[in-house]
Amino acid sequence: MGEPVGFLYAHPDDESFLSACLIRQLADEGHAPVLLLATKGEAGQKNGYAAQATKEELAAIRVKEMEKAAEVLGIAEVEHLGFPDGKLDTVDETLFLEAVIRFINKYRLRIVVTFPEDGGNFHPDHMAISRFTTAAVLSGRCPSVQKLYYTLSKTLREKGYEPTFIVDTEQAWSVKAEALRAHTSQLLATEKYFGNLNVFPEDRRYESFVLYWERGQRWPSKTETSLFDDLI
Ligand SMILES: [Zn+2]
């Protein structure tokens, strides 16, 4: 197995929305993307075959869908914390923090990617996993971590933050579309955001990441060509 690179998100499909092409690229380069999801997504939409699903059934469906997406993207390991979807901000803080620290240390991650403080879209679950991932990295209890990236949000852009690292999805759009399609129960929401997945969405072209923390320095202003730039 190549070097693990950690992605920490809230729901099955967050990884594909925000970083499908980056993940596939890392896997193709011989690295081992690993994914921690705080919930199983049981509060999500129930389209198509999931229309009649109970919460428990939807959780099981979405874990299955996630397995398919992971295969498409070359994710080496997916772990689900199984905290309540839509209510991450009510989870016991110590429990949540310890779970995140355990994941980071299990894979001795040097590189960690999560949502920014605003969750990208102010979703409380996204904000919660961002908060606990950041707290874990800054706790001093995850000594392997050298870099913490945030997915670049609209509000960060408006505040003047520039991406550190960008992936253009045009070449690999079919891969991203396939990963998004694997989350079949969520397809209506997905197509609301990206449009028809058979058509490359010019206005959703880039996956953008900003370096929030690098070996003790916050918001180091730089541009990179690889997440592995400047690692020691
Ligand atoms: Zn989400």
Side-chain angles (χ1 to χ4, degrees), residues 44-55 57-58 61 65 184-186:
Q45 292 199 345
K46 296 194 279 186
N47 306 152
Y49 63 67
Q52 306 299 327
T54 64
K55 274 198 166 186
E57 287 164 351
L58 185 60
I61 285 170
E65 291 175 343
T184 310
S185 63
Q186 307 305 303

Side-chain angles (χ1 to χ4, degrees), residues 9-15 17-18 62 85 115 119 121 123 125-126:
Y9 291 127
H11 313 108
D13 77 4
D14 291 339
E15 82 298 330
F17 264 73
L18 294 159
R62 296 200 67 185
D85 187 6
F115 292 104
N121 58 359
H123 192 306
D125 286 352
H126 295 179

Side-chain angles (χ1 to χ4, degrees), residues 148-216:
L148 172 60
Y149 291 88
Y150 289 156
T151 54
L152 188 58
S153 63
K154 190 160 163 269
T155 45
L156 280 181
R157 267 181 209 284
E158 286 164 1
K159 286 182 190 165
Y161 290 96
E162 302 279 349
T164 307
F165 183 77
I166 289 177
V167 179
D168 186 343
T169 66
E170 187 172 21
Q171 289 306 313
W173 175 253
S174 61
V175 173
K176 180 156 179 151
E178 196 184 341
L180 288 165
R181 257 187 231 108
H183 296 286
T184 310
S185 63
Q186 307 305 303
L187 211 51
L188 285 184
T190 307
E191 294 208 327
K192 199 172 160 196
Y193 185 80
F194 287 103
N196 178 345
L197 292 178
N198 296 317
V199 181
F200 171 64
E202 186 61 52
D203 58 335
R204 306 283 188 201
R205 174 179 195 122
Y206 299 106
E207 295 175 351
S208 302
F209 307 88
V210 60
L211 190 53
Y212 165 70
W213 184 92
E214 182 177 22
R215 293 190 297 273

